[in-house]
């Protein structure tokens, strides 16, 4: 028999999804602000963490401006979940009407080479909407996601994304080979690249401070020839509307004798691209976890919280 807290957690997400799907879009959109305010009030540690990250992006944020920015971060995070819960039951027409993209033809062109394409994204905005939209265009899309507890909740999220048309690869020792296989099958592979869960990736400078970021995008690109497209999907002011910015492709190549040196270099280049994407809308960055060695709890396993 599962632990009651685990059962409550899983059923809580399921009930939230049912409620979101039964709510008209304009009403659901209006719920993001009160839900975000509640999350802000009940999560002082997360509020402190997001404020640290916001000040990294914009060191001028202080006082009331910082409090408003952090509240907006919670509001956007609530919007992310509400939209994600509603997406499986939305029509293709509704999803398409709510999505525009700058740079998307570059991805289509890259797929003509047959090596797939890598979208390297930050935890920002409404990327699930873009994933559904890409699948609706007829592309095969593979996403790598981290494990969360309890296992039955993780399986529920896998099923949710599968219903959006995504192939889900759990983060772990076999993820690399699965991603390479997907790229060789000409999939679009989405890799969230702004947080190194295992803290074992290349060391980079990210928003003026040293930390590590995942080296997966660089590694699989070098091994398959797939280009890397730094990409972000932003919420807009309209209900159920998003804008994606696909940056020019990175075409990693070998320059050093050691693969690790090339991966380090390319990951730093990607970190610079992620900064550009995040600076455009810092409050849409859903990074409530420690991400730099100076952050409280950075090396504590419990700091790995359920995430998109």
């Amino acid at each position: 028999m599962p632990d009651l807290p685990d059962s409550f957690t899983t059923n809580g997400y399921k009930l939230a999804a049912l409620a979101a799907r039964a709510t008209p879009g304009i009403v659901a959109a209006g719920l993001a602000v009160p839900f975000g305010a509640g999350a802000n009030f009940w999560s002082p540690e997360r509020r402190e963490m997001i404020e640290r990250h916001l000040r990294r992006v914009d060191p001028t944020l202080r006082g009331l401006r910082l409090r408003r920015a952090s509240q907006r971060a919670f509001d956007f995070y609530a919007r992310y979940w509400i939209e994600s819960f509603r997406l499986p039951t939305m029509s293709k027409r509704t999803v398409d009407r709510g999505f525009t993209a700058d740079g998307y033809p570059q991805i289509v062109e890259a797929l003509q080479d047959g090596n797939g394409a890598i979208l390297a994204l930050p935890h920002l905005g409404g990327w699930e909407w873009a994933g559904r939209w890409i699948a609706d265009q007829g592309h095969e899309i593979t996403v790598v996601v981290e494990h969360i507890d309890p296992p039955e909740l993780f399986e529920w999220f896998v099923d949710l994304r599968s219903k959006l048309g995504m192939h889900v690869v759990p983060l772990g020792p076999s993820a690399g080979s699965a991603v390479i296989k997907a790229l060789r099958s000409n999939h679009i592979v989405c890799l969230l690249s702004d947080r190194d869960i295992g803290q074992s990736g290349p060391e980079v400078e990210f928003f003026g401070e040293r930390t590590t970021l995942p080296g997966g995008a660089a590694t699989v690109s070098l091994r398959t020839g797939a280009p890397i497209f730094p990409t972000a999907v932003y919420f807009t002011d309209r209900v159920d509307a998003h804008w994606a910015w696909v940056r020019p492709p990175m075409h990693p190549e070998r320059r050093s004798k050691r693969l690790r040196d090339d991966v380090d270099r390319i990951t730093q280049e990607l970190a610079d691209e992620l900064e550009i994407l995040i600076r455009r809308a810092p409050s849409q960055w859903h990074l409530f976890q420690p991400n730099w060695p100076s952050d409280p709890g950075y090396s504590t396993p419990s700091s790995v919280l359920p995430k998109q």
Side-chain angles (χ1 to χ4, degrees):
M1 181 176 180
D3 293 335
L4 284 178
D6 289 353
S7 178
F8 286 158
T9 299
T10 303
N11 289 333
Y13 276 96
K14 291 179 178 179
L15 287 172
L18 290 173
R21 293 167 190 173
T23 305
I26 193 167
V27 177
L31 293 175
V33 171
F35 284 175
N40 188 349
F41 178 80
W42 292 106
S43 307
E45 291 183 357
R46 288 192 175 192
R47 179 172 62 249
E48 179 183 351
M49 192 60 61
I50 194 64
E51 288 181 353
R52 290 177 65 91
H53 299 335
L54 287 168
R55 286 196 299 268
R56 287 183 170 106
V57 180
D58 182 0
T60 68
L61 284 176
R62 292 288 187 276
L64 182 59
R65 288 181 61 232
L66 178 60
R67 290 194 294 274
R68 286 176 174 170
S70 64
Q71 179 56 63
R72 283 176 58 79
F74 280 94
D75 296 347
F76 282 124
Y77 192 45
R79 178 174 173 178
Y80 163 80
W81 283 115
I82 292 170
E83 288 190 350
S84 296
F85 290 152
R86 295 175 60 235
L87 266 173
T89 56
M90 286 185 172
S91 69
K92 181 178 179 180
R93 180 181 178 184
T94 299
V95 173
D96 185 63
R97 189 172 58 234
F99 188 79
T100 57
D102 285 351
Y104 169 69
Q106 302 174 96
I107 300 173
V108 177
E109 182 179 352
L111 293 175
Q112 294 175 3
D113 294 332
N115 296 320
I118 300 167
L119 305 190
L121 306 102
H123 289 80
L124 183 146
W127 80 269
E128 306 261 14
W129 194 289
R132 162 71 193 276
W133 184 86
I134 288 172
D136 285 348
Q137 307 313 300
H139 299 299
E140 297 289 343
I141 179 170
T142 293
V143 299
V144 178
V145 299
E146 67 182 86
H147 280 280
I148 58 174
D149 289 323
E152 60 184 26
L153 179 59
F154 174 75
E155 292 302 324
W156 183 78
F157 275 119
V158 168
D159 182 65
L160 176 72
R161 285 170 174 135
S162 297
K163 289 177 179 176
L164 300 180
M166 305 179 193
H167 304 277
V168 179
V169 173
L171 184 64
S174 62
S177 59
V179 166
I180 290 173
K181 181 179 179 181
L183 290 170
R184 288 175 175 163
S185 297
N186 211 30
H187 287 205
I188 295 173
V189 172
C190 296
L191 300 176
L192 292 165
S193 302
D194 57 341
R195 179 170 173 244
D196 183 20
I197 297 172
Q199 301 172 9
S200 59
E203 185 176 320
V204 298
E205 182 172 305
F206 192 38
F207 288 112
E209 190 173 340
R210 304 297 291 181
T211 189
T212 62
L213 287 183
T219 302
V220 297
S221 177
L222 287 169
R223 290 181 173 171
T224 64
I228 301 171
F229 292 91
T231 303
V233 183
Y234 304 93
F235 296 121
T236 71
D237 292 336
R238 293 193 299 115
V239 174
D240 292 341
H242 311 75
W243 174 68
W245 185 13
V246 182
R247 297 276 296 164
M250 299 169 58
H251 295 281
E253 57 184 25
R254 293 297 306 271
R255 296 181 187 174
S256 305
K257 292 182 178 180
R258 293 198 319 150
L259 175 65
R260 179 70 190 213
D261 292 339
D262 286 319
V263 171
D264 289 353
R265 170 181 53 81
I266 296 162
T267 304
Q268 178 61 70
E269 294 172 359
L270 178 56
D272 297 339
E273 287 286 333
L274 292 173
E275 285 190 14
I276 294 171
L277 295 169
I278 294 166
R279 286 188 194 281
R280 190 185 180 280
S283 288
Q284 294 194 32
W285 195 17
H286 314 315
L287 193 65
F288 293 88
Q289 297 86 357
N291 206 45
W292 283 261
S294 63
D295 290 336
Y298 175 76
S299 59
T300 304
S302 61
S303 67
V304 181
L305 302 173
K307 193 64 186 74
Q308 65 224 56

